[in-house]
């Protein structure tokens, strides 16, 4: 038997400690929550991506009466970014969420498994780490790369 320990590193910042570019990106994610379509969950999520060419693209969760047909803010944003700028790596993805009462969460929401898989694909596609910033009123979590959010993830290499 062999044991392997997988570890990830993350940094926790106060919102005011973010540099200007990251604070601006987070503000875009926060603003994007206002454009979510959430008649079922009333849970507003916004995301904003800064690309290698410094363009910023944002998106929000979009729900549907047939629940699985809706999509999360992270996927809305990444698919939009990749369709508008197919040759631009995503440098940083910021995510923010408000609960049913419209209150910002103290602890950041953690992206769902499907979004993590999509984040990893974006990261691998461009061969560059994609930083993730998760907003919480008690601290902003910074992950250094999307793959850190999904250890031992499915990899297309396995199909070869
Ligand atoms: N949601 C997101 O947009 N991102 C996440 O990381 C978690 C969940 C959305 C999906 C659905 O519209 C609502 O939040 C409740 O799950």
């Amino acid at each position: 038997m062999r044991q392997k320990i997988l570890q990830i590193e993350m940094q926790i910042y106060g919102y005011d400690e973010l540099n200007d570019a990251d604070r601006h990106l987070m503000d875009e994610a926060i603003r994007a929550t206002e454009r979510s379509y959430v008649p079922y969950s009333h849970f507003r999520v916004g995301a904003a991506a800064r690309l290698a060419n410094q363009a910023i693209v944002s998106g929000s969760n979009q729900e549907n009466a047939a629940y699985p047909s809706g999509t999360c803010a992270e996927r809305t944003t990444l698919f939009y970014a990749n369709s508008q700028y197919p040759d631009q790596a995503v440098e940083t993805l910021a995510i923010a969420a408000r609960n049913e009462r419209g209150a910002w969460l103290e602890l950041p929401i953690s992206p769902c498994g499907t979004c993590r898989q999509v984040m990893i694909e974006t990261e691998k596609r461009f061969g560059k780490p994609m930083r993730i910033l998760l907003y919480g009123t008690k601290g902003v979590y910074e992950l250094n790369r999307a793959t850190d959010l999904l250890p031992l993830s499915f990899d297309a290499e396995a199909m070869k």
Side-chain angles (χ1 to χ4, degrees):
M1 191 276 264
R2 287 188 299 143
Q3 193 181 40
K4 194 170 173 183
I5 295 173
L6 305 175
Q7 285 183 314
I8 61 164
E9 265 179 29
M10 57 180 258
Q11 296 68 242
I12 303 177
Y13 296 93
Y15 169 83
D16 294 332
E17 287 179 303
L18 296 176
N19 65 34
D20 287 351
D22 285 348
R23 203 166 346 100
H24 174 65
L25 191 69
M26 189 54 86
D27 288 345
E28 289 298 318
I30 287 170
R31 255 195 290 280
T33 63
E34 290 162 18
R35 299 189 292 272
S36 61
Y37 173 67
V38 290
Y40 307 104
S41 74
H42 308 287
F43 185 65
R44 296 185 179 279
V45 187
R50 185 170 60 241
L51 314 186
N53 65 1
Q54 301 306 296
I56 290 180
V57 166
S58 64
S60 53
N61 52 335
Q62 301 292 319
E63 298 184 347
N64 192 281
Y67 287 8
S69 304
T71 190
C72 296
E74 295 89 328
R75 271 174 290 153
T76 307
T77 304
L78 288 178
F79 288 148
Y80 181 54
N82 293 335
S83 22
Q84 293 297 310
Y85 301 94
D87 57 352
Q88 295 295 318
V90 179
E91 283 184 348
T92 307
L93 180 70
I95 303 157
R98 288 187 275 151
N99 69 16
E100 282 185 321
R101 296 179 305 284
W104 296 103
L105 308 189
E106 288 188 353
L107 294 176
I109 58 153
S110 212
C112 79
T114 305
C115 287
R116 291 177 195 218
Q117 188 71 36
V118 170
M119 287 178 193
I120 288 173
E121 185 88 18
T122 302
E123 188 168 80
K124 287 190 175 151
R125 169 179 174 170
F126 295 108
K128 293 226 177 93
M130 181 171 83
R131 291 166 67 231
I132 315 286
L133 296 173
L134 304 171
Y135 180 73
T137 56
K138 287 198 164 166
V140 175
Y141 293 177
E142 177 192 47
L143 283 305
N144 302 324
R145 57 190 65 77
T147 36
D148 285 351
L149 279 173
L150 197 57
L152 302 180
S153 59
F154 177 68
D155 191 318
E157 286 295 312
M159 294 188 287
K160 290 185 182 148

